[in-house]
Amino acid sequence: MQQFLTVRGCAPTRWNVSVLAGLMAVLAGCSSPPPKPPPAATAPVAPPPVAVAPPPLPQPTHTSQAPTPRDYRRDAAKHLYDRNTQRIFAGKLPPLLYAVGVLQVDIDRMGQVTDIRWMRAPSHAPEVMADIERSVRSAAPFPAPVRMGKVTYTDTWLWHKSGRFQLDTLTEGQL
């Protein structure tokens, strides 16, 4: 025979059993809540950004190992001669020249001309000044001064009336 709990000494009745069953159901409901459903699908999470190395700096095509501006001047003069082969006066220059100009040129680490300054301008021949400046700028890029980083060099332009010239660095002299 089953034994039932009695409430206040009363004999078990259907009412007591139903109250007891209801109480048990309520207590069972007090246990931990059911697990939450998995979250709804969300937008995919972007992967962490990847560090991208900057592209390598362009390397100069021609370089100069000159340790001083005076040594660099020879490399620059050769470069100008190579770019102006048809305009170089061949042989010794005549005693009287149409124009003489002293030009200072700034070259950056890549061989680009950054500035031009006249130390002695042939002001009586402005067309020569313009032609020399144009020749220098169009000859860029010059050999990159890799040992100095950047350089300022000075050269003397010896200009014949024919429009041909020599640079003092590479001159063949005068008659």
Side-chain angles (χ1 to χ4, degrees):
M1 185 176 211
Q2 288 184 330
Q3 297 218 353
F4 292 97
L5 294 172
T6 59
V7 179
R8 292 190 202 158
C10 300
T13 63
R14 276 182 190 231
W15 183 82
N16 288 347
V17 173
S18 0
V19 170
L20 188 58
L23 192 58
M24 298 286 279
V26 170
L27 288 176
C30 289
S31 66
S32 62
K36 292 183 180 180
T42 58
V45 176
V50 176
V52 177
L57 294 175
Q59 295 300 313
T61 54
H62 303 292
T63 60
S64 168
Q65 296 297 324
T68 66
R70 187 168 182 82
D71 293 332
Y72 182 83
R73 184 171 77 169
R74 180 168 294 282
D75 293 339
K78 287 178 185 175
H79 179 76
L80 282 163
Y81 271 42
D82 289 346
R83 296 289 190 268
N84 294 283
T85 54
Q86 302 300 325
R87 301 179 61 207
I88 304 303
F89 189 93
K92 292 189 179 222
L93 290 164
L96 295 176
L97 296 173
Y98 178 63
V100 175
V102 180
L103 190 67
Q104 202 169 54
V105 181
D106 294 340
I107 305 291
D108 70 8
R109 67 175 193 79
M110 294 298 293
Q112 297 299 322
V113 176
T114 58
D115 196 20
I116 295 174
R117 290 175 304 288
W118 286 100
M119 305 300 289
R120 178 182 171 207
S123 54
H124 68 283
E127 75 282 3
V128 171
M129 290 173 60
D131 202 6
I132 290 172
E133 290 179 16
R134 188 173 34 258
S135 295
V136 170
R137 291 193 189 282
S138 67
F142 280 75
V146 294
R147 292 181 69 186
M148 294 178 285
K150 62 180 182 174
V151 66
T152 299
Y153 79 93
T154 306
D155 210 340
T156 302
W157 290 68
L158 308 169
W159 202 270
H160 186 261
K161 62 184 176 184
S162 66
R164 294 176 182 244
F165 67 90
Q166 286 184 8
L167 295 174
D168 184 55
T169 303
L170 301 177
T171 188
E172 295 180 36
Q174 281 184 285
L175 296 173

